[in-house]
Each structure stands twice: as C-alpha cells, then as structure tokens.
Amino acid sequence: MKKIKTLTANTLKNTMKKGGCGECQTSCQSACKTSCTVGNQSCENANR
Amino acid sequence: MIHQYKNNGYNIVMDIASGSVHVVDDVVYDAIAMYEDHTKEEIMAALTPVYGAEEIEEALNEIQELIDQEMLFTEDEYQQYVTDFKKRKTVVKALCLHVAHDCNLACKYCFAEEGEYHGRRALMSLEVGKKALDFLIENSGNRVNLEVDFFGGEPLMNWDVVKELVAYGRSREAECNKKFRFTITTNGVLLNDEIMDFCNREMANVVLSLDGRPEVNDRMRPFRNGKGSYEVIVPKFQKFAKSRQGQYYVRGTFTHNNLDFASDVLHFADLGFDQISIEPVVSAPSEPYAIREEDLPQILAEYDRLAVEYIKRKKEGRGFNFFHFMIDLSQGPCVAKRLAGCGSGTEYLAVTPWGDFYPCHQFVGEEEFLLGNVYDGITNTEVRDEFKLCNVYAKDKCRNCFARFYCSGGCAANSYHFHGTITDAYDIGCEMQKKRIECAIMIKAALADQD
Ligand code: SF4
Ligand code: SF4
Ligand code: SF4
C-alpha cells in the first residue's frame, strides 16, 4: 500500500480467545494513582 | 467505529474495535471521513477537484483492502462478551496498604488530607498487615502474581512494619505458590541509604512523589512548618533513581497553578530522571488549584508541546519515558482487561491502618464504601457487586468513546466525586485522557517514521 502505513494490525479480537487470565498488573497500582490507564500496560500471559 | 485526527503533521486513523492504527495520506484521510455516509460516487465527486480521480481511486482501493482484512470499520462484538460480567468470578490480586495515616509533609491537594483520610492519625500494626497479606493469599485463587503497594500518608513513617511485612510475605511465597510484587510510594523525606538498599532488593517499583520545578513543588508540597521540600528531596531521589535500573517513577501532580506542566516534566528529565509521570490534580471544583473546564485548551496544547519535545529528545538519544505517553500497541492487554478497567473494589482493595477494606485508596474514609475488614473479609457484598459490574459498557459516556479500550472507562473514584455514581465519567478527565492517547499514538507514528 502506498497511501496507508499500518502501525499496528488487528490484534484485539484475537485476544478474546486466550486472554483474561488476570496475571497482569492492576492498572492503578504503579505510577498513576489517580487515573485508569490500561493502554500502556503489557500482557504477562506467555500463551497468548 | 473509527477515530481520525491530525497531530504534528501526521494523519492518524484508529479502528477502535480491532485495535488497528494507520497513518494515512490526505486523500485517504478525507475519503475515510466521508466513507460511512456517502457513496463512492459522492466521494469521487467531492474529492476529485482537490486530488484528481486517479488518486481517489487508489485511496478507495486501499481502504477496501483494509476493510477486507478487518482493520477498518470493524464491528464491535465485545458488548456480548460483557453480559456475563456479574457471573465472572473475581479474585483479589492487589492491595494498597495504608501503613501510615500520617505524613511529614502538608501537601495542599492531598486527598489523604495530610495523611489523615477524614479520620485519625494512625500507623498500621504488624498484626493487621500480616492479616491483610493472609487475606490476599487466601482470596487470590490461582493467580500467582500478587501486588502489594505500601502507601500512606507517608509509608516510611512506619518503616519497620514495612520491612517485616515484606519478610512475612516472602516467607509464605513458596508454600502458597505465590509471588509478591512489592512497591512503595514515598515523598522521600525520610529516605536514607538503608532504606534505598532494602528497596533495591525487595521492591519491584518505587514511586517518588515530586511535582516539578522548585517553585511549583514548594507551593503545593511544603513541610508542616511551611518550608518547601524540593531542596531536601531532590538529591535523595536522584541518588535513588540512579540505583534502580529504570524501576522507578518520579511522579507529580499538576494543578491550575502550573498549567504549563510540560516544563515540569522536562525539568525532571533535565534533573536526570527518565521514568516520569505527572498527572492532573483531582479535587473539588471549589478548590483554588482545581482544574477547570476553561483550563482545557491550554492543557491540551501543553500535551502537544510535550509530545513534540518528547520525540525530539528520543531521536537525539536522550529520551525519557512519560507514563501517559507509553502505549503498547502490539502486546498490550487483552480485551477482557481493557473492558474491566482498574479492578477497584474487586481485584484491588485498599486497607486502612486498622484493617478496614475500601474499593481503592481514593475511597478510603468514605463510609458508604466500607467493604469489610481483614478479620471478617468482604462483608458488604452489595457494594462489591456494584464495582464488579463496572465496565466500559456499563457507562453511557464510554460505550461509544474512541478511547474506551485504552482508558477502560476511567476512574470510578473521579466519577463518584463528580457525579455521585461510579458509572459516570469525569468529563474534564476524559478530555485530557483522549488527548494523551492521541499524543501517544502520534509519537509511535513519529518514531516509526525514523526507521
Ligand atoms: S496477562 Fe494478558 S491475557 Fe492475562 S488478563 Fe492480563 S492482558 Fe489479559
Ligand atoms: S475517556 Fe471518558 S468517556 Fe472515554 S472511555 Fe475514558 S472515561 Fe469513558
Ligand atoms: S477507582 Fe480510580 S483511583 Fe481507584 S483504583 Fe480505579 S482508577 Fe485508581
């Protein structure tokens, strides 16, 4: 494609199958104690 | 649903349901804007005078290609997924231990009211702390990783108990097949070498509270006698940060008094810190330092200014991380996590010095949110269930918000304090949140451009 550069392809849907294990960090626990931000967290599920 | 915006010379298109993000040229950008409620002929007719027929033909082909690959105008199918939310079994995986409701600073915006949380001054006893860790182990199901944040007030005012609780937690890891991830949030006044060494051995992260430039910090973070704290604290934080291999955050709050907070972020970077977080204050609108709606244009422009400088410094090899500009586009959280949000009241609880449970640190002292205590467990299941149901699709404002999978529905405490319910959203906070996400994605585009 010449006119479109994709930064990230569709990934969210795939996570419905193997996600939800809950091993990742709670989102308010670290550097933001007054707001909810999950976008910058990383998944800790090795099987995903 | 899509969201498109221009920032710093980049045309960005986000496909919300799939999580795809595209950088596009002007032709595609304009065509996408018309795509959903215009026919191809209409788009051709409208854009041909500007770009020429061939360009538009090509743009439309590429758009179609993305649609076929489910990367554009994807349907949101997750709404189904959350109908089972109430039935889902939640386990507790994180505690915020208020080991000291007392403080040696008197920060003006402190939601803990100088550490007292609408209550009395108190230190957590070792016994209460151990009970809390036992509760966490017993109520965490199969989850291996458990998080415990030592919080206050100022947790270093009860340092011996912190140390003993870490030792106690470690002593139970093997038999219970758990791993504790301890963190601490401190104002730094009492930091010394012994404490730093201990934290470097035992704490996965440390959050160091400081607001920015000297005059900004000292105005809001004075000692009880009114003297500023900057001078005492900064050298300690610099030393501590250097010894942590990136496992720390210098964390500040900006208010109506320093709407040019990008300068405070950059001040931190100039002091040598490379893990930085500065957040907007959340307070009653009546406070003189509260952020008001009319402050928004300046705040949003400030995020843009910061983003541009952020990219510049990264490209020059002297970059830093700003918490709210960090975003994991490829290996970020799964949908379940993005929908559920912070987990306050279910996965995450705050514990007071005398062992009471609240949904999170921001609810401590609000009596109607008292959930139970370390001896009897969760007794107020009604409130717990209210939090359990809290998810992106339970909130009218969030359901169609482009930011929903990045923000996950905002902060329940903010919503409660502004609207009296946990399923609303704090509007000023939303505007800032959306801007931060736009900046974060633009930064990704700019850094990808480099190589
Ligand atoms: S670790 Fe990954 S898969 Fe598991 S809940 Fe967190 S984001 Fe989802
Ligand atoms: S930005 Fe506001 S409306 Fe959008 S998802 Fe977050 S809390 Fe909801
Ligand atoms: S309700 Fe707000 S302050 Fe409390 S844990 Fe959630 S995001 Fe954090």
Side-chain angles (χ1 to χ4, degrees):
Chain A
M1 287 210 224
K2 274 162 56 194
K3 302 174 149 310
I4 301 176
K5 182 167 144 195
T6 295
L7 273 187
T8 178
N10 49 335
T11 48
L12 270 187
K13 243 180 222 170
N14 304 337
T15 69
M16 280 177 76
K17 291 171 217 127
K18 288 203 168 157
C21 72
E23 286 297 343
C24 50
Q25 248 176 281
T26 14
S27 52
C28 204
Q29 193 74 315
S30 59
C32 79
K33 268 290 204 194
T34 53
S35 67
C36 190
T37 308
V38 298
N40 59 10
Q41 286 202 285
S42 291
C43 176
E44 294 190 26
N45 182 345
N47 306 319
R48 210 181 89 187
Chain B
M1 177 192 185
I2 59 142
H3 175 66
Q4 55 181 158
Y5 64 98
K6 298 189 181 203
N7 190 322
N8 194 25
Y10 293 91
N11 298 343
I12 293 175
V13 177
M14 302 166 62
D15 185 46
I16 305 309
S18 70
S20 312
V21 179
H22 315 284
V23 184
V24 305
D25 71 3
D26 288 339
V27 196
V28 172
Y29 191 87
D30 291 347
I32 284 179
M34 298 182 70
Y35 208 85
E36 276 181 301
D37 33 49
H38 293 87
T39 63
K40 276 192 180 159
E41 291 68 35
E42 285 169 340
I43 298 175
M44 290 293 284
L47 298 182
T48 302
V50 194
Y51 300 111
E54 204 179 311
E55 282 283 303
I56 299 163
E57 197 95 46
E58 201 175 334
L60 290 174
N61 285 340
E62 293 196 6
I63 291 171
Q64 189 58 49
E65 218 175 298
L66 286 189
I67 294 174
D68 294 343
Q69 293 169 16
E70 298 197 339
M71 291 202 282
L72 200 61
F73 299 116
T74 317
E75 289 296 322
D76 183 334
E77 294 164 3
Y78 311 120
Q79 217 131 352
Q80 310 290 346
Y81 195 61
V82 296
T83 47
D84 292 339
F85 242 68
K86 192 163 184 182
K87 277 185 260 150
R88 89 196 145 117
K89 252 187 87 68
T90 54
V91 297
V92 184
K93 63 179 192 182
L95 292 182
C96 178
L97 295 187
H98 293 229
V99 289
H101 273 187
D102 197 353
C103 194
N104 38 24
L105 290 182
C107 305
K108 304 239 167 76
Y109 47 62
C110 183
F111 59 83
E113 301 181 2
E114 295 169 26
E116 292 176 50
Y117 287 91
H118 326 275
R120 52 202 148 93
R121 244 160 245 247
L123 298 181
M124 182 179 279
S125 68
L126 181 58
E127 189 217 333
V128 165
K130 280 181 171 178
K131 278 273 173 211
L133 296 187
D134 291 342
F135 172 88
L136 179 57
I137 289 169
E138 280 155 28
N139 289 275
S140 55
N142 295 327
R143 254 99 170 190
V144 176
N145 295 318
L146 305 181
E147 295 153 58
V148 174
D149 189 36
F150 295 105
F151 201 63
E154 171 50 40
L156 295 188
M157 294 182 81
N158 198 7
W159 178 240
D160 286 338
V161 166
V162 170
K163 279 195 295 192
E164 286 179 74
L165 286 176
V166 169
Y168 178 70
R170 295 274 180 250
S171 76
R172 299 210 54 196
E173 283 181 328
E175 56 164 314
C176 307
N177 188 29
K178 301 287 178 191
K179 268 203 345 244
F180 280 102
R181 188 179 178 280
F182 291 108
T183 55
I184 192 165
T185 300
T186 177
N187 66 24
V189 174
L190 296 174
L191 266 184
N192 60 30
D193 288 349
E194 184 254 327
I195 293 171
M196 292 189 213
D197 283 346
F198 184 89
C199 291
N200 288 347
R201 281 197 308 276
E202 297 289 358
M203 305 271 176
N205 200 11
V206 297
V207 177
L208 314 174
S209 305
L210 185 74
D211 278 356
R213 292 161 291 177
E215 63 280 11
V216 170
N217 184 76
D218 288 350
R219 178 164 181 177
M220 293 307 278
R221 304 184 63 82
F223 282 100
R224 282 171 179 255
N225 65 12
K227 266 189 67 182
S229 58
Y230 181 96
E231 221 171 282
V232 177
I233 286 160
V234 167
K236 298 189 195 205
F237 281 175
Q238 284 174 311
K239 182 172 180 194
F240 200 12
K242 219 174 247 152
S243 68
R244 298 263 333 150
Q245 275 108 33
Q247 301 301 303
Y248 72 93
Y249 268 100
V250 178
R251 184 200 173 286
T253 304
F254 73 85
T255 71
H256 177 72
N257 297 331
N258 61 318
L259 295 173
D260 59 343
F261 62 92
S263 298
D264 295 291
V265 175
L266 298 173
H267 178 75
F268 282 162
D270 293 339
L271 286 173
F273 298 117
D274 54 9
Q275 308 295 329
I276 300 169
S277 176
I278 289 194
E279 290 187 81
V281 71
V282 179
S283 68
S286 56
E287 297 289 355
Y289 54 79
I291 288 172
R292 302 157 206 162
E293 213 181 319
E294 60 265 30
D295 295 336
L296 277 174
Q298 191 181 344
I299 293 173
L300 303 190
E302 204 57 14
Y303 279 120
D304 283 337
R305 174 167 89 92
L306 182 60
V308 170
E309 181 67 18
Y310 191 81
I311 295 164
K312 179 167 168 265
R313 293 195 184 198
K314 284 245 189 237
K315 287 191 174 173
E316 290 169 0
R318 53 189 190 110
F320 57 90
N321 284 329
F322 178 62
F323 186 81
H324 281 124
F325 284 172
M326 289 158 72
I327 199 162
D328 190 341
L329 287 179
S330 50
Q331 260 305 306
C334 64
V335 170
K337 165 93 176 174
R338 290 175 193 249
L339 292 171
C342 65
S344 61
T346 54
E347 297 183 333
Y348 173 63
L349 300 171
V351 188
T352 67
W354 44 95
D356 285 344
F357 287 134
Y358 284 92
C360 86
H361 53 287
Q362 294 249 2
F363 285 102
V364 164
E366 307 270 3
E367 284 313 314
E368 65 269 41
F369 288 98
L370 177 61
L371 290 173
N373 62 55
V374 294
Y375 301 101
D376 307 321
I378 301 292
T379 45
N380 190 347
T381 50
E382 205 175 306
V383 169
R384 200 254 334 259
D385 288 345
E386 218 182 295
F387 278 87
K388 202 167 173 176
L389 281 177
C390 205
N391 70 75
V392 168
Y393 294 105
K395 306 174 191 183
D396 285 335
K397 282 181 189 157
C398 306
R399 208 170 289 143
N400 294 311
C401 172
F402 86 83
R404 63 185 180 273
F405 293 127
Y406 301 90
C407 154
S408 73
C411 165
N414 287 352
S415 164
Y416 173 73
H417 288 127
F418 280 84
H419 299 287
T421 154
I422 61 169
T423 52
D424 207 312
Y426 161 51
D427 308 77
I428 295 177
C430 293
E431 290 313 306
M432 295 188 277
Q433 173 72 285
K434 289 188 249 185
K435 184 60 169 186
R436 293 193 296 253
I437 291 166
E438 289 189 349
C439 287
I441 288 177
M442 182 279 288
I443 289 168
K444 286 275 182 213
L447 295 177
D449 221 11
Q450 186 178 19
D451 24 70

